[in-house]
């Protein structure tokens, strides 16, 4: 929660510089790639394409350059099909990966036509992630792998187009490597890092401030 509060404070603080700036509200369809989407190996994340929301604040500066703040909150379902095959006698259920990105950005804007504007961006910031909670239940026992939280620095690249000065269509690749402390069933703990790569497909509406 403190990350969300800090992000909102950062965003609201920029409103004091609202001249020549915009605020975009996005729907996000985050698609995992690399280890995060893999279903084999020690670093597999078993993540599937999910859903999320985002806010983007952008301030134009001279010579078509801009800077801003991007926030994304995503949920990616966990693929538990392999677990169900391994223990067919158990009822297996799982929650989703959840990820919050707080990213500063800088980039360049270019007018492609009278109705279309193109933007390229570089992102650098922080990400916070929570692992899925996994439950396996039989008639005699119930095992729960509880969720854990981790954070890391994050970076990314992206681009978007603005149609008729308002409608946003964008694509952004973001990467982080949060470290989690997981509690095992015997009470011991292990630390591991998860390569977290997401391609965000963004569709939204831009307000000119």
């Amino acid at each position: 929660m403190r990350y969300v509060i800090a992000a909102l404070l950062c965003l609201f603080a920029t409103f004091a510089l609202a001249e020549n700036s915009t605020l975009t509200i996005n729907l996000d369809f985050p698609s995992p790639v690399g280890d995060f989407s893999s279903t084999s190996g020690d670093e597999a994340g078993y993540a599937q394409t999910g859903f999320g929301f985002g806010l983007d604040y952008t301030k134009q500066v001279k010579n078509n350059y801009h800077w801003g703040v991007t926030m994304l909150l995503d949920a990616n379902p966990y693929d538990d099909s392999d677990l169900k095959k391994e223990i067919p006698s158990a009822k297996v259920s799982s929650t989703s990966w959840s990820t919050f990105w707080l990213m500063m950005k800088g980039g360049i804007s270019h007018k492609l036509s009278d109705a279309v504007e193109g933007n390229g961006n570089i992102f650098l910031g922080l990400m916070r992630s929570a692992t899925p909670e996994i439950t396996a239940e039989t008639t005699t026992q119930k095992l729960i792998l509880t969720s854990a939280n981790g954070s890391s620095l994050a970076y990314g690249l992206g681009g978007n187009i603005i149609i008729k000065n308002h409608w946003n269509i964008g694509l952004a690749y973001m990467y982080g490597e949060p470290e989690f402390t997981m509690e095992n069933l015997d009470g011991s703990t292990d630390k591991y890092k998860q390569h977290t790569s997401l391609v965000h497909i963004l569709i939204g509406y831009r307000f000119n401030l």
Side-chain angles (χ1 to χ4, degrees), residues 32-190:
V33 293
D35 289 334
F36 197 41
S37 65
S38 177
T39 56
S40 62
D42 294 338
E43 297 180 346
Y46 294 86
Q48 299 175 311
T49 298
F51 184 74
F53 298 93
L55 287 176
D56 179 273
Y57 171 84
T58 300
K59 180 174 176 59
Q60 293 293 138
V61 295
K62 62 181 180 179
N63 299 325
N64 294 326
Y65 292 99
H66 61 258
W67 66 271
V69 180
T70 295
M71 293 183 295
L72 296 168
L73 179 61
D74 301 313
N76 289 86
Y78 179 83
D79 184 357
D80 57 16
S81 56
D82 284 352
L83 282 176
K84 291 177 179 178
K85 293 177 183 178
E86 291 177 7
I87 42 177
S89 60
K91 179 181 178 182
V92 177
S93 61
S94 59
T95 60
S96 297
W97 285 96
S98 62
T99 312
F100 176 67
W101 308 81
L102 173 58
M103 309 290 278
M104 298 296 294
K105 71 171 186 177
I108 189 169
S109 303
H110 182 70
K111 200 76 172 177
L112 302 177
S113 70
D114 290 341
V116 180
E117 171 192 323
N119 298 284
N121 298 298
I122 298 175
F123 300 97
L124 181 64
L126 298 171
M127 60 93 69
R128 179 78 171 174
S129 183
T131 65
E133 181 173 281
I134 302 171
T135 302
E137 185 174 6
T138 67
T139 55
T140 57
Q141 61 179 336
K142 183 177 182 179
L143 303 177
I144 300 176
L145 182 63
T146 58
S147 178
N149 296 310
S151 58
S152 79
L153 294 175
Y155 60 86
L157 295 170
N160 67 295
I161 58 172
I162 302 295
I163 301 172
K164 293 186 177 180
N165 205 34
H166 290 292
W167 296 102
N168 176 66
I169 300 174
L171 197 67
Y173 168 82
M174 293 183 184
Y175 174 83
E177 195 174 333
E179 183 176 73
F180 302 98
T181 300
M182 303 295 296
E183 183 175 350
N184 300 315
L185 296 176
D186 60 4
S188 63
T189 59
D190 288 317

